[in-house]
Amino acid sequence: MILYHTTPDSPAIEISVEGKITDHELREVIERLRGDLEQSGKTRVLERIEHFSGIEPKALWTDMTLGVTVARKVTRAAVVADAGWIRASTHLARFFTKAEVKAFHVSELEQARAWINA
């Protein structure tokens, strides 16, 4: 499941991921993010990932072909995750975006929000 949230007074978009990512959900989020970036200029993303159980192969391809283009427009990204391997892998983002990326544990959600909005 993927949830997408914006706040009018915040320059950031929050995306929550739980469980398995489907291609359909990912496509919806990418299109919404693309639209928000074009309309509001919001260029920061806080991605909260909990209980991650995988990604459909088709969704992985969608992320690589559509998601990377959108990711290049992001200037700052906070990854908030319960799994250490997800936080540790955030350094791989440098291959797909020029955004400043920082990882946080789920217990540090408020610190991540403060950082993304600074």
Side-chain angles (χ1 to χ4, degrees), residues 26-37:
L26 185 60
R27 284 179 182 274
E28 286 181 346
V29 166
I30 290 170
E31 286 307 312
R32 190 162 175 199
L33 181 57
R34 181 179 291 144
D36 278 350
L37 288 170

Side-chain angles (χ1 to χ4, degrees), residues 18-101:
E18 188 170 335
K20 188 169 188 172
I21 299 172
T22 67
D23 185 61
H24 177 74
E25 289 175 321
L26 185 60
R27 284 179 182 274
E28 286 181 346
V29 166
I30 290 170
E31 286 307 312
R32 190 162 175 199
L33 181 57
R34 181 179 291 144
D36 278 350
L37 288 170
E38 289 174 9
Q39 288 183 356
S40 67
K42 291 185 179 191
T43 58
R44 298 176 181 197
V45 175
L46 185 148
E47 188 170 8
R48 187 171 152 184
I49 306 167
E50 295 185 78
H51 312 293
F52 181 71
S53 62
I55 183 169
E56 290 180 347
K58 189 174 180 182
L60 186 58
W61 179 250
T62 296
D63 196 28
M64 295 302 296
T65 57
L66 300 178
V68 169
T69 304
V70 174
R72 290 189 176 134
K73 296 179 181 177
V74 173
T75 58
R76 184 177 266 198
V79 177
V80 180
D82 57 356
W85 71 267
I86 293 172
R87 293 189 309 274
S89 66
T90 58
H91 72 280
L92 297 173
R94 65 186 164 92
F95 293 111
F96 307 106
T97 181
K98 293 180 181 177
E100 182 181 5
V101 180

